[in-house]
Amino acid sequence: MSNALSKLLETRDWLMADGATGTNLFNMGLSSGEAPELWNVDEPEKIRKLYAFAVDSGSDLFLTNSFGGNASRLKLHDAQNRVHELNRVAAALGREVADASGRTVVVAGSVGPTGDIMQPMGTLTHELAVEMFHEQAEGLKAGGADVLWLETISAPEEYKAAAEAFALADMPWCGTMSFDTAGRTMMGVTSEAMVAMVEKLPNPPLAYGANCGVGASDLLRTVLGFTSQGIERPVIAKGNAGIPKYQDGHIHYDGTPELMGEYAVMARDCGATIIGGCCGTMPDHLEKMREALSNRPRGERPTLERITETLGGFSSASDGTGEDTGPKRERRGKRRG
């Protein structure tokens, strides 16, 4: 198994991840409701271009086009029997782009939620979830992914099932949850609770943290929630490029490249090691993020007040872990767009 990410983490004090998948693919012609994973086979040049966006912008790792590549989600497109194929090709295309870059670039096999609710609240059993995640993991492994990358998870039960599946695949992994409901995941997990869960896993991730959510300010508050607990594993921060707004028939994120550069530096100063963007993060955002991370020295750990002054107010008064009230601004904000 590849240890490319581990080696980079040993020699660098920050790494830059990639940006959006959906936003870039929609700009290439993906239709609403269409499964992006089918493009791995039907539009491989566009997927290579997606990956090249990240590499050419300075990313040290990028995620494969396989977020919805599990049997449950692919069943919506009558493609549940193509899990291994679509994930293998997603990773193989990434391997091509990474290997042609002339430097070490990590191919991270994206694994999103199943889309089902697990027992006891829903019908998805632990055993079936493990089976689905394992099937996807084996496809990504066969295609040459360096590491598996669990993202946008809300339920701790699903996170644990994926960890078990990745152990069966004998693959290193990273995992993020999405804190989008008053500082918690949709299923009520706080940053504090995530740390406690991860550190007890039999097969813990190389790095973990937060992605997506409702904006960069909220995400950085969550990162502070992780790092305030004195954890030693690298923390991941992948925030959205601002807030989505509907303009001229398209969803547009209002975060400028310059603002994302500020976010990247503040994420590093908050204690994050792997820093990237999520929904709305385009190549020009990534370029500014890389420039800021490369040229600006480390600063003091940002206060909540400084975060809101620079990036805007929080969507809720608290993240559920303490008396961390701060400026509040209503926000609405899942695929890693």
Side-chain angles (χ1 to χ4, degrees):
M1 99 180 126
S2 170
N3 62 352
L5 179 56
S6 295
K7 285 185 175 180
L8 279 180
L9 288 170
E10 289 172 1
T11 58
R12 298 269 303 278
D13 63 354
W14 61 266
L15 299 176
M16 194 174 87
D18 60 357
T21 294
T23 312
N24 282 296
L25 292 183
F26 284 131
N27 287 346
M28 294 183 200
L30 183 72
S31 299
S32 179
E34 187 177 2
E37 293 76 21
L38 296 178
W39 271 26
N40 296 333
V41 172
D42 300 338
E43 299 281 0
E45 284 306 314
K46 291 182 179 179
I47 302 307
R48 289 189 183 95
K49 183 178 180 182
L50 169 72
Y51 297 159
F53 280 160
V55 174
D56 294 345
S57 300
S59 295
D60 298 296
L61 68 86
F62 63 83
L63 276 57
T64 57
N65 180 43
S66 52
F67 178 88
N70 61 70
S72 181
R73 283 182 175 269
L74 289 176
K75 186 176 182 179
L76 300 174
H77 308 277
D78 197 29
Q80 64 270 26
N81 295 323
R82 300 180 65 186
V83 172
H84 192 279
E85 171 202 9
L86 294 173
N87 283 277
R88 176 183 57 78
V89 176
L93 294 173
R95 188 79 270 149
E96 289 178 23
V97 173
D99 291 348
S101 68
R103 59 188 176 89
T104 299
V105 177
V106 174
V107 179
S110 173
V111 177
T114 63
D116 298 325
I117 298 177
M118 294 191 68
Q119 292 181 340
M121 296 180 66
T123 59
L124 179 62
T125 65
H126 174 80
E127 292 75 18
L128 184 54
V130 171
E131 181 181 326
M132 284 195 286
F133 285 132
H134 185 207
E135 181 182 25
Q136 185 175 9
E138 290 291 353
L140 292 165
K141 180 179 180 179
D146 294 299
V147 63
L148 301 176
W149 193 282
L150 185 68
E151 58 172 336
T152 326
I153 300 297
S154 294
E157 296 83 5
E158 198 163 31
Y159 199 97
K160 293 173 184 177
E164 185 175 326
F166 299 161
L168 293 174
D170 193 26
M171 284 285 286
W173 67 287
C174 297
T176 59
M177 300 186 84
S178 182
F179 297 80
D180 53 11
T181 309
R184 299 168 178 256
T185 74
M186 185 175 65
M187 294 301 180
V189 180
T190 64
S191 56
E192 185 177 30
M194 184 183 182
V195 170
M197 172 187 69
V198 167
E199 295 301 331
K200 293 177 183 176
L201 289 173
N203 176 39
L206 294 176
Y208 64 101
N211 79 295
C212 203
V214 289
S217 297
D218 285 52
L219 188 129
L220 291 189
R221 182 171 63 177
T222 297
V223 169
L224 287 175
F226 294 138
T227 57
S228 67
Q229 297 178 67
I231 59 176
E232 295 184 2
R233 289 182 207 282
V235 170
I236 300 165
K238 287 190 102 245
N240 295 339
I243 306 302
K245 297 180 179 179
Y246 191 76
Q247 294 179 348
D248 302 322
H250 298 281
I251 297 295
H252 171 74
Y253 284 78
D254 64 5
T256 64
E258 290 74 19
L259 197 66
M260 287 301 281
E262 293 290 336
Y263 146 78
V265 170
M266 294 185 81
R268 181 191 63 189
D269 293 346
C270 284
T273 300
I274 301 176
I275 301 156
C278 204
C279 302
T281 307
M282 307 298 284
D284 53 350
H285 294 104
L286 291 175
E287 290 170 5
K288 287 294 185 182
M289 290 166 64
R290 181 78 194 201
E291 178 183 329
L293 287 167
S294 299
N295 297 328
R296 290 173 57 177
R298 282 187 177 273
E300 295 182 356
R301 183 158 299 189
T303 61
L304 296 179
E305 289 73 22
R306 182 161 165 250
I307 290 173
T308 59
E309 288 170 3
T310 305
L311 301 177
F314 301 121
S315 64
S316 61
S318 170
D319 67 354
T321 60
E323 300 302 318
D324 57 338
T325 56
K328 181 177 178 180
R329 182 173 74 195
E330 288 296 327
R331 290 179 169 176
R332 301 187 183 274
K334 79 216 196 214
R335 175 178 295 273
R336 192 174 62 98

